[in-house]
Amino acid sequence: MKNENVKGGGQLKPDIKQILDVRCELVNETEKSVDIYMYGRIVDQQPIDWWTGEPVPGDFIYPEDVRNLVKEAGEREINLHINSTGGSIYASIAINNFLKQCKNRINVYIDGIAASGASIIAMAGDEINMPSNTTMMIHRAAAGVYGNAEDFRKAAHTLDKFDETVLNSYKSRFVGTVEELKNLIKEETYLTAEECKVFGLCDNILEEMEDKLDAENNADIKVSLFEKYKITAEEKNTKETLFKKFNKNGGNNE
């Protein structure tokens, strides 16, 4: 949803503007960077009211809008903030591929949740950051189908293809095996920031970054090296524990 103050957007009546939050926008421009917020539902294109011909009010993320915002960013670094429960797989894949191909450095920040298609978009980041209280969800493709048995068989075949697409979206980052990743996707798994970092699906837990920086600034080289490799060892142990936990529970994140 947009208003006249949001770059790349249309207009809304003043009373609607005051009620609804406006998201999928470019803000906080500096000489070197811009912030782009993707808050809302991922759709193939801006929904239009068939009766009035006007854009439907709501928080929508769609490829054309994303392309316009990135174009407006020019060559500047993009801080991409995501808070979305997902939506269209077609649009999610298109946005992911577009962001990967653009020349801008993209720093992803998951502000609340990156679920389903939103987690696929997040994978386009050069660096993915998650506060410790945020969540990512990955799952298999889903669709509603109406028709005869042949229609259902065709839909199932198509969904199998999309499952491969979903798998490939995470595979380059995931630290485990393909089968382990398939199990997580199959079980519609919700992941904490810690689990995402261990599995390779995010790079930094923001509070952890701050704590580590403070420790390095106030310690001598011996202590700094000790803390560095202690953290590495702890992450390795945590990864092994989490993998065992998922395998023991049959892939359920409980």
Side-chain angles (χ1 to χ4, degrees):
M1 181 181 69
K2 322 257 181 332
N3 66 17
E4 64 271 24
N5 296 318
V6 179
K7 300 186 176 181
Q11 295 187 354
L12 289 176
K13 295 179 180 179
D15 57 332
I16 297 178
K17 278 198 306 176
Q18 294 171 4
I19 297 172
L20 298 176
D21 190 22
V22 181
R23 289 302 178 189
C24 205
E25 59 186 12
L26 185 152
V27 298
N28 300 331
E29 297 185 63
T30 70
E31 209 174 295
K32 296 182 179 180
S33 69
V34 298
D35 291 352
I36 292 179
Y37 284 81
M38 289 187 185
Y39 282 24
R41 184 78 175 164
I42 303 167
V43 296
D44 295 323
Q45 57 188 8
Q46 169 69 58
I48 301 296
D49 188 315
W50 67 271
W51 184 258
T52 65
E54 296 293 324
V56 175
D59 300 338
F60 300 112
I61 302 163
Y62 51 97
E64 181 183 7
D65 201 18
V66 174
R67 289 194 301 270
N68 290 337
L69 293 174
V70 171
K71 181 179 180 180
E72 202 166 335
E75 297 181 357
R76 290 174 290 182
E77 188 170 301
I78 294 173
N79 299 313
L80 179 61
H81 294 262
I82 297 176
N83 185 33
S84 171
T85 55
S88 166
I89 188 170
Y90 297 103
S92 301
I93 294 295
I95 293 171
N96 170 282
N97 288 332
F98 170 74
L99 293 175
K100 281 184 175 179
Q101 292 165 18
C102 73
K103 297 179 179 179
N104 310 66
R105 175 177 172 81
I106 298 177
N107 307 308
V108 169
Y109 295 88
I110 297 175
D111 292 345
I113 186 168
S116 189
S119 66
I120 291 175
I121 293 175
M123 294 300 109
D126 294 294
E127 186 173 85
I128 302 174
N129 305 282
M130 295 179 68
S132 59
N133 61 347
T134 59
T135 307
M136 184 181 293
M137 187 273 276
I138 59 178
H139 71 156
R140 299 178 70 185
V145 181
Y146 173 82
N148 57 37
E150 189 59 36
D151 293 323
F152 278 82
R153 278 189 286 268
K154 183 177 179 181
H157 179 70
T158 301
L159 287 173
D160 285 338
K161 296 294 185 182
F162 275 128
D163 283 342
E164 286 298 315
T165 300
V166 169
L167 180 74
N168 289 332
S169 300
Y170 308 109
K171 193 164 62 174
S172 63
R173 277 186 159 271
F174 188 67
V175 298
T177 68
V178 172
E179 285 304 313
E180 288 169 331
L181 178 56
K182 283 183 178 179
N183 287 335
L184 292 178
I185 293 172
K186 180 181 178 182
E187 294 300 320
E188 189 174 303
T189 305
Y190 285 79
L191 299 165
T192 65
E194 180 187 8
E195 289 166 342
C196 284
K197 184 175 180 183
V198 169
F199 292 156
L201 300 180
C202 85
D203 299 293
N204 303 305
I205 300 175
L206 295 184
E207 291 84 352
E208 181 178 298
M209 286 177 63
E210 295 169 0
D211 293 344
K212 185 177 178 182
L213 182 62
D214 290 341
E216 289 177 352
N217 288 338
N218 294 290
D220 60 26
I221 185 64
K222 181 178 72 174
V223 174
S224 177
L225 286 172
F226 174 79
E227 290 298 324
K228 174 183 176 181
Y229 290 107
K230 178 183 176 184
I231 290 172
T232 301
E234 288 174 348
E235 288 178 350
K236 181 179 179 182
N237 290 335
T238 303
K239 179 178 73 173
E240 292 173 352
T241 300
L242 286 170
F243 274 133
K244 289 177 181 177
K245 177 182 176 183
F246 274 104
N247 290 333
K248 181 179 178 182
N249 294 336
N252 289 317
N253 184 22
E254 297 176 351

PDB file of all heavy atoms in Angstrom, residues 196-221:
ATOM      1  N   CYS A 196      18.557 -20.533  12.831  1.00  0.00           N
ATOM      2  CA  CYS A 196      18.881 -20.074  11.477  1.00  0.00           C
ATOM      3  C   CYS A 196      20.382 -19.867  11.315  1.00  0.00           C
ATOM      4  O   CYS A 196      20.959 -20.236  10.281  1.00  0.00           O
ATOM      5  CB  CYS A 196      18.148 -18.769  11.171  1.00  0.00           C
ATOM      6  SG  CYS A 196      16.388 -18.989  10.811  1.00  0.00           S
ATOM      7  N   LYS A 197      21.014 -19.307  12.335  1.00  0.00           N
ATOM      8  CA  LYS A 197      22.456 -19.073  12.232  1.00  0.00           C
ATOM      9  C   LYS A 197      23.226 -20.382  12.197  1.00  0.00           C
ATOM     10  O   LYS A 197      24.152 -20.564  11.403  1.00  0.00           O
ATOM     11  CB  LYS A 197      22.941 -18.207  13.396  1.00  0.00           C
ATOM     12  CG  LYS A 197      24.424 -17.869  13.259  1.00  0.00           C
ATOM     13  CD  LYS A 197      24.902 -16.915  14.330  1.00  0.00           C
ATOM     14  CE  LYS A 197      26.382 -16.619  14.128  1.00  0.00           C
ATOM     15  NZ  LYS A 197      26.919 -15.748  15.196  1.00  0.00           N
ATOM     16  N   VAL A 198      22.842 -21.311  13.037  1.00  0.00           N
ATOM     17  CA  VAL A 198      23.519 -22.608  13.070  1.00  0.00           C
ATOM     18  C   VAL A 198      23.350 -23.343  11.746  1.00  0.00           C
ATOM     19  O   VAL A 198      24.277 -23.966  11.229  1.00  0.00           O
ATOM     20  CB  VAL A 198      22.988 -23.471  14.237  1.00  0.00           C
ATOM     21  CG1 VAL A 198      23.474 -24.910  14.123  1.00  0.00           C
ATOM     22  CG2 VAL A 198      23.441 -22.873  15.570  1.00  0.00           C
ATOM     23  N   PHE A 199      22.152 -23.255  11.165  1.00  0.00           N
ATOM     24  CA  PHE A 199      21.876 -23.945   9.904  1.00  0.00           C
ATOM     25  C   PHE A 199      22.382 -23.181   8.690  1.00  0.00           C
ATOM     26  O   PHE A 199      22.282 -23.670   7.567  1.00  0.00           O
ATOM     27  CB  PHE A 199      20.376 -24.193   9.752  1.00  0.00           C
ATOM     28  CG  PHE A 199      19.824 -25.185  10.741  1.00  0.00           C
ATOM     29  CD1 PHE A 199      18.475 -25.153  11.073  1.00  0.00           C
ATOM     30  CD2 PHE A 199      20.623 -26.142  11.349  1.00  0.00           C
ATOM     31  CE1 PHE A 199      17.947 -26.068  11.982  1.00  0.00           C
ATOM     32  CE2 PHE A 199      20.107 -27.041  12.258  1.00  0.00           C
ATOM     33  CZ  PHE A 199      18.763 -27.010  12.582  1.00  0.00           C
ATOM     34  N   GLY A 200      22.895 -21.965   8.889  1.00  0.00           N
ATOM     35  CA  GLY A 200      23.426 -21.189   7.773  1.00  0.00           C
ATOM     36  C   GLY A 200      22.416 -20.293   7.090  1.00  0.00           C
ATOM     37  O   GLY A 200      22.734 -19.649   6.084  1.00  0.00           O
ATOM     38  N   LEU A 201      21.195 -20.225   7.600  1.00  0.00           N
ATOM     39  CA  LEU A 201      20.142 -19.443   6.957  1.00  0.00           C
ATOM     40  C   LEU A 201      20.147 -17.976   7.374  1.00  0.00           C
ATOM     41  O   LEU A 201      19.373 -17.179   6.857  1.00  0.00           O
ATOM     42  CB  LEU A 201      18.772 -20.066   7.230  1.00  0.00           C
ATOM     43  CG  LEU A 201      18.607 -21.508   6.714  1.00  0.00           C
ATOM     44  CD1 LEU A 201      17.214 -22.032   7.032  1.00  0.00           C
ATOM     45  CD2 LEU A 201      18.878 -21.593   5.214  1.00  0.00           C
ATOM     46  N   CYS A 202      20.994 -17.620   8.320  1.00  0.00           N
ATOM     47  CA  CYS A 202      21.282 -16.214   8.598  1.00  0.00           C
ATOM     48  C   CYS A 202      22.736 -16.114   9.031  1.00  0.00           C
ATOM     49  O   CYS A 202      23.352 -17.113   9.403  1.00  0.00           O
ATOM     50  CB  CYS A 202      20.326 -15.606   9.627  1.00  0.00           C
ATOM     51  SG  CYS A 202      20.764 -15.864  11.353  1.00  0.00           S
ATOM     52  N   ASP A 203      23.270 -14.904   8.956  1.00  0.00           N
ATOM     53  CA  ASP A 203      24.693 -14.699   9.257  1.00  0.00           C
ATOM     54  C   ASP A 203      24.930 -14.154  10.654  1.00  0.00           C
ATOM     55  O   ASP A 203      25.923 -14.497  11.290  1.00  0.00           O
ATOM     56  CB  ASP A 203      25.294 -13.732   8.232  1.00  0.00           C
ATOM     57  CG  ASP A 203      25.193 -14.266   6.821  1.00  0.00           C
ATOM     58  OD1 ASP A 203      25.853 -15.276   6.534  1.00  0.00           O
ATOM     59  OD2 ASP A 203      24.445 -13.684   6.012  1.00  0.00           O
ATOM     60  N   ASN A 204      24.041 -13.296  11.117  1.00  0.00           N
ATOM     61  CA  ASN A 204      24.280 -12.618  12.382  1.00  0.00           C
ATOM     62  C   ASN A 204      23.024 -12.542  13.237  1.00  0.00           C
ATOM     63  O   ASN A 204      21.922 -12.325  12.718  1.00  0.00           O
ATOM     64  CB  ASN A 204      24.760 -11.173  12.132  1.00  0.00           C
ATOM     65  CG  ASN A 204      26.013 -11.128  11.284  1.00  0.00           C
ATOM     66  OD1 ASN A 204      27.016 -11.751  11.612  1.00  0.00           O
ATOM     67  ND2 ASN A 204      25.946 -10.402  10.183  1.00  0.00           N
ATOM     68  N   ILE A 205      23.206 -12.744  14.529  1.00  0.00           N
ATOM     69  CA  ILE A 205      22.176 -12.419  15.508  1.00  0.00           C
ATOM     70  C   ILE A 205      22.594 -11.073  16.088  1.00  0.00           C
ATOM     71  O   ILE A 205      23.681 -10.951  16.650  1.00  0.00           O
ATOM     72  CB  ILE A 205      22.078 -13.496  16.605  1.00  0.00           C
ATOM     73  CG1 ILE A 205      21.726 -14.843  15.965  1.00  0.00           C
ATOM     74  CG2 ILE A 205      21.039 -13.106  17.645  1.00  0.00           C
ATOM     75  CD1 ILE A 205      21.724 -16.012  16.932  1.00  0.00           C
ATOM     76  N   LEU A 206      21.771 -10.070  15.921  1.00  0.00           N
ATOM     77  CA  LEU A 206      22.219  -8.702  16.126  1.00  0.00           C
ATOM     78  C   LEU A 206      22.771  -8.431  17.516  1.00  0.00           C
ATOM     79  O   LEU A 206      23.813  -7.816  17.666  1.00  0.00           O
ATOM     80  CB  LEU A 206      21.071  -7.726  15.823  1.00  0.00           C
ATOM     81  CG  LEU A 206      20.618  -7.728  14.363  1.00  0.00           C
ATOM     82  CD1 LEU A 206      19.557  -6.669  14.145  1.00  0.00           C
ATOM     83  CD2 LEU A 206      21.786  -7.491  13.425  1.00  0.00           C
ATOM     84  N   GLU A 207      22.111  -8.920  18.561  1.00  0.00           N
ATOM     85  CA  GLU A 207      22.619  -8.699  19.914  1.00  0.00           C
ATOM     86  C   GLU A 207      23.967  -9.376  20.103  1.00  0.00           C
ATOM     87  O   GLU A 207      24.843  -8.868  20.780  1.00  0.00           O
ATOM     88  CB  GLU A 207      21.620  -9.227  20.951  1.00  0.00           C
ATOM     89  CG  GLU A 207      20.331  -8.439  21.044  1.00  0.00           C
ATOM     90  CD  GLU A 207      19.312  -8.874  19.999  1.00  0.00           C
ATOM     91  OE1 GLU A 207      19.669  -9.681  19.121  1.00  0.00           O
ATOM     92  OE2 GLU A 207      18.168  -8.395  20.075  1.00  0.00           O
ATOM     93  N   GLU A 208      24.127 -10.531  19.479  1.00  0.00           N
ATOM     94  CA  GLU A 208      25.387 -11.256  19.582  1.00  0.00           C
ATOM     95  C   GLU A 208      26.524 -10.470  18.950  1.00  0.00           C
ATOM     96  O   GLU A 208      27.629 -10.427  19.467  1.00  0.00           O
ATOM     97  CB  GLU A 208      25.260 -12.616  18.895  1.00  0.00           C
ATOM     98  CG  GLU A 208      26.515 -13.467  18.960  1.00  0.00           C
ATOM     99  CD  GLU A 208      26.318 -14.820  18.312  1.00  0.00           C
ATOM    100  OE1 GLU A 208      25.470 -15.585  18.782  1.00  0.00           O
ATOM    101  OE2 GLU A 208      27.008 -15.094  17.315  1.00  0.00           O
ATOM    102  N   MET A 209      26.250  -9.795  17.843  1.00  0.00           N
ATOM    103  CA  MET A 209      27.263  -8.978  17.196  1.00  0.00           C
ATOM    104  C   MET A 209      27.736  -7.874  18.119  1.00  0.00           C
ATOM    105  O   MET A 209      28.930  -7.616  18.253  1.00  0.00           O
ATOM    106  CB  MET A 209      26.705  -8.352  15.918  1.00  0.00           C
ATOM    107  CG  MET A 209      26.550  -9.297  14.748  1.00  0.00           C
ATOM    108  SD  MET A 209      25.821  -8.466  13.344  1.00  0.00           S
ATOM    109  CE  MET A 209      27.075  -7.244  12.985  1.00  0.00           C
ATOM    110  N   GLU A 210      26.794  -7.216  18.802  1.00  0.00           N
ATOM    111  CA  GLU A 210      27.147  -6.122  19.691  1.00  0.00           C
ATOM    112  C   GLU A 210      27.979  -6.626  20.862  1.00  0.00           C
ATOM    113  O   GLU A 210      28.965  -6.015  21.259  1.00  0.00           O
ATOM    114  CB  GLU A 210      25.871  -5.444  20.187  1.00  0.00           C
ATOM    115  CG  GLU A 210      25.090  -4.764  19.064  1.00  0.00           C
ATOM    116  CD  GLU A 210      23.708  -4.333  19.506  1.00  0.00           C
ATOM    117  OE1 GLU A 210      23.382  -4.571  20.685  1.00  0.00           O
ATOM    118  OE2 GLU A 210      22.968  -3.779  18.677  1.00  0.00           O
ATOM    119  N   ASP A 211      27.586  -7.763  21.452  1.00  0.00           N
ATOM    120  CA  ASP A 211      28.311  -8.304  22.581  1.00  0.00           C
ATOM    121  C   ASP A 211      29.735  -8.676  22.198  1.00  0.00           C
ATOM    122  O   ASP A 211      30.690  -8.424  22.927  1.00  0.00           O
ATOM    123  CB  ASP A 211      27.597  -9.546  23.137  1.00  0.00           C
ATOM    124  CG  ASP A 211      26.257  -9.190  23.769  1.00  0.00           C
ATOM    125  OD1 ASP A 211      26.054  -7.989  24.045  1.00  0.00           O
ATOM    126  OD2 ASP A 211      25.431 -10.096  23.959  1.00  0.00           O
ATOM    127  N   LYS A 212      29.896  -9.285  21.035  1.00  0.00           N
ATOM    128  CA  LYS A 212      31.216  -9.708  20.603  1.00  0.00           C
ATOM    129  C   LYS A 212      32.119  -8.507  20.342  1.00  0.00           C
ATOM    130  O   LYS A 212      33.292  -8.499  20.701  1.00  0.00           O
ATOM    131  CB  LYS A 212      31.091 -10.548  19.331  1.00  0.00           C
ATOM    132  CG  LYS A 212      32.416 -11.142  18.860  1.00  0.00           C
ATOM    133  CD  LYS A 212      32.201 -12.012  17.634  1.00  0.00           C
ATOM    134  CE  LYS A 212      33.533 -12.553  17.130  1.00  0.00           C
ATOM    135  NZ  LYS A 212      33.374 -13.368  15.918  1.00  0.00           N
ATOM    136  N   LEU A 213      31.563  -7.453  19.749  1.00  0.00           N
ATOM    137  CA  LEU A 213      32.340  -6.253  19.477  1.00  0.00           C
ATOM    138  C   LEU A 213      32.821  -5.608  20.758  1.00  0.00           C
ATOM    139  O   LEU A 213      33.978  -5.206  20.873  1.00  0.00           O
ATOM    140  CB  LEU A 213      31.492  -5.270  18.673  1.00  0.00           C
ATOM    141  CG  LEU A 213      32.166  -3.967  18.254  1.00  0.00           C
ATOM    142  CD1 LEU A 213      33.352  -4.271  17.338  1.00  0.00           C
ATOM    143  CD2 LEU A 213      31.176  -3.049  17.550  1.00  0.00           C
ATOM    144  N   ASP A 214      31.948  -5.525  21.765  1.00  0.00           N
ATOM    145  CA  ASP A 214      32.348  -4.942  23.047  1.00  0.00           C
ATOM    146  C   ASP A 214      33.461  -5.749  23.691  1.00  0.00           C
ATOM    147  O   ASP A 214      34.397  -5.196  24.267  1.00  0.00           O
ATOM    148  CB  ASP A 214      31.138  -4.888  23.989  1.00  0.00           C
ATOM    149  CG  ASP A 214      30.126  -3.847  23.535  1.00  0.00           C
ATOM    150  OD1 ASP A 214      30.505  -2.952  22.751  1.00  0.00           O
ATOM    151  OD2 ASP A 214      28.957  -3.939  23.961  1.00  0.00           O
ATOM    152  N   ALA A 215      33.365  -7.070  23.614  1.00  0.00           N
ATOM    153  CA  ALA A 215      34.380  -7.931  24.218  1.00  0.00           C
ATOM    154  C   ALA A 215      35.736  -7.722  23.560  1.00  0.00           C
ATOM    155  O   ALA A 215      36.763  -7.649  24.236  1.00  0.00           O
ATOM    156  CB  ALA A 215      33.961  -9.392  24.098  1.00  0.00           C
ATOM    157  N   GLU A 216      35.750  -7.580  22.234  1.00  0.00           N
ATOM    158  CA  GLU A 216      37.014  -7.413  21.525  1.00  0.00           C
ATOM    159  C   GLU A 216      37.643  -6.058  21.814  1.00  0.00           C
ATOM    160  O   GLU A 216      38.865  -5.922  21.865  1.00  0.00           O
ATOM    161  CB  GLU A 216      36.784  -7.586  20.027  1.00  0.00           C
ATOM    162  CG  GLU A 216      36.483  -9.028  19.646  1.00  0.00           C
ATOM    163  CD  GLU A 216      36.194  -9.179  18.171  1.00  0.00           C
ATOM    164  OE1 GLU A 216      36.077  -8.136  17.492  1.00  0.00           O
ATOM    165  OE2 GLU A 216      36.085 -10.331  17.709  1.00  0.00           O
ATOM    166  N   ASN A 217      36.824  -5.051  22.019  1.00  0.00           N
ATOM    167  CA  ASN A 217      37.345  -3.715  22.295  1.00  0.00           C
ATOM    168  C   ASN A 217      37.937  -3.604  23.691  1.00  0.00           C
ATOM    169  O   ASN A 217      38.721  -2.695  23.964  1.00  0.00           O
ATOM    170  CB  ASN A 217      36.232  -2.673  22.141  1.00  0.00           C
ATOM    171  CG  ASN A 217      35.859  -2.472  20.685  1.00  0.00           C
ATOM    172  OD1 ASN A 217      36.646  -2.772  19.797  1.00  0.00           O
ATOM    173  ND2 ASN A 217      34.660  -1.971  20.437  1.00  0.00           N
ATOM    174  N   ASN A 218      37.567  -4.496  24.602  1.00  0.00           N
ATOM    175  CA  ASN A 218      37.996  -4.390  25.993  1.00  0.00           C
ATOM    176  C   ASN A 218      38.861  -5.560  26.447  1.00  0.00           C
ATOM    177  O   ASN A 218      39.014  -5.788  27.641  1.00  0.00           O
ATOM    178  CB  ASN A 218      36.763  -4.301  26.901  1.00  0.00           C
ATOM    179  CG  ASN A 218      35.980  -3.023  26.677  1.00  0.00           C
ATOM    180  OD1 ASN A 218      36.429  -1.947  27.019  1.00  0.00           O
ATOM    181  ND2 ASN A 218      34.823  -3.142  26.060  1.00  0.00           N
ATOM    182  N   ALA A 219      39.417  -6.276  25.511  1.00  0.00           N
ATOM    183  CA  ALA A 219      40.224  -7.441  25.876  1.00  0.00           C
ATOM    184  C   ALA A 219      41.534  -7.418  25.123  1.00  0.00           C
ATOM    185  O   ALA A 219      41.658  -6.821  24.058  1.00  0.00           O
ATOM    186  CB  ALA A 219      39.455  -8.721  25.566  1.00  0.00           C
ATOM    187  N   ASP A 220      42.571  -8.081  25.697  1.00  0.00           N
ATOM    188  CA  ASP A 220      43.824  -8.177  24.972  1.00  0.00           C
ATOM    189  C   ASP A 220      43.718  -9.261  23.911  1.00  0.00           C
ATOM    190  O   ASP A 220      42.712  -9.961  23.815  1.00  0.00           O
ATOM    191  CB  ASP A 220      44.990  -8.447  25.940  1.00  0.00           C
ATOM    192  CG  ASP A 220      44.817  -9.754  26.708  1.00  0.00           C
ATOM    193  OD1 ASP A 220      44.132 -10.672  26.198  1.00  0.00           O
ATOM    194  OD2 ASP A 220      45.377  -9.854  27.810  1.00  0.00           O
ATOM    195  N   ILE A 221      44.764  -9.420  23.105  1.00  0.00           N
ATOM    196  CA  ILE A 221      44.701 -10.309  21.952  1.00  0.00           C
ATOM    197  C   ILE A 221      44.479 -11.752  22.368  1.00  0.00           C
ATOM    198  O   ILE A 221      43.763 -12.499  21.701  1.00  0.00           O
ATOM    199  CB  ILE A 221      45.987 -10.175  21.092  1.00  0.00           C
ATOM    200  CG1 ILE A 221      45.862 -11.016  19.814  1.00  0.00           C
ATOM    201  CG2 ILE A 221      47.217 -10.577  21.897  1.00  0.00           C
ATOM    202  CD1 ILE A 221      44.777 -10.546  18.899  1.00  0.00           C
TER     203      ILE A 221
END
